Amino acid sequence: MTTNTTSKSPEAAAVPPSGPAPVTKRVPQGHKRLLTRRDRITLGFMAGVPTVLHVALVWVTALASIALAFTSWDGIGFDSIKWVGLDNFKQLFTDNPQFWPAVEHNVIWFVVLILIPTPFGLFLAVQLDKKIRFSRLYQTAFFLPVVVSLAVTGFVWQLVYNPDTGLINSLIGANKP
């Protein structure tokens, strides 16, 4: 018969052992991806295609235009491009009588567009923000042309002005047989 000399009392079992906590090795489970491979490919196409088109059609052409400003080219064939440096600009500033009046008109337009529409637009925005009668109607009248697509606006006007079935001709009775 064997006797258990290492039996513990219930009080001893409730006391944690002294010393440093045992080190447990944490098994990496990997991180879950929020986007699947298909989602990433779709997102790449949705962001990549417009970006490539924008860069090709806007930035490359703009930079090519800047580069061509320093050349002499008749527009036919790339082999006829000749580098002239700043001669084009020298000729533009000195020999072209239309250049400086055009610059003056552009500056006038710029100043007028800065001084009139911007403060007037801010004034209207402040007025529309106030609690005045029919403010929602005014807001709709101001912002509807901005919100509605130009194509939809054109389609609506086509319906209004149609000579056979248009709204105006129907109202005045011009399209009756």
Side-chain angles (χ1 to χ4, degrees):
M1 182 162 159
T2 60
T3 60
N4 190 354
T5 59
T6 59
S7 66
K8 294 182 179 178
S9 64
E11 298 84 29
V15 176
S18 61
V23 177
T24 58
K25 187 172 183 180
R26 188 171 182 200
V27 179
Q29 296 179 357
H31 62 284
K32 293 184 179 180
R33 296 200 182 267
L34 296 176
L35 298 175
T36 64
R37 177 177 167 82
R38 182 178 179 199
D39 291 340
R40 286 181 286 169
I41 291 171
T42 303
L43 184 62
F45 276 119
M46 291 176 68
V49 170
T51 302
V52 167
L53 286 174
H54 177 76
V55 167
L57 298 176
V58 175
W59 287 101
V60 171
T61 55
L63 293 174
S65 296
I66 292 170
L68 285 174
F70 297 98
T71 65
S72 174
W73 184 36
D74 60 2
I76 301 173
F78 291 114
D79 55 344
S80 64
I81 298 175
K82 294 185 181 27
W83 182 261
V84 295
L86 296 174
D87 289 343
N88 288 337
F89 295 100
K90 179 183 166 190
Q91 181 183 3
L92 182 69
F93 294 143
T94 58
D95 298 339
N96 192 339
Q98 299 171 344
F99 178 73
W100 291 112
V103 169
E104 182 183 349
H105 293 147
N106 279 305
V107 168
I108 291 170
W109 272 109
F110 178 72
V111 169
V112 166
L113 288 176
I114 292 296
L115 294 179
I116 294 175
T118 303
F120 184 65
L122 289 172
F123 172 75
L124 287 177
V126 169
Q127 296 306 313
L128 286 175
D129 194 40
K130 293 181 179 178
K131 301 294 181 196
I132 57 175
R133 179 182 277 185
F134 303 119
S135 66
R136 292 291 179 200
L137 179 69
Y138 300 141
Q139 289 173 359
T140 303
F142 281 121
F143 298 125
L144 192 63
V146 176
V147 175
V148 177
S149 169
L150 187 60
V152 174
T153 306
F155 178 73
V156 169
W157 283 113
Q158 181 182 3
L159 293 175
V160 170
Y161 287 123
N162 190 325
D164 299 324
T165 60
L167 176 66
I168 293 176
N169 286 335
S170 296
L171 290 176
I172 63 174
N175 60 352
K176 292 183 182 180

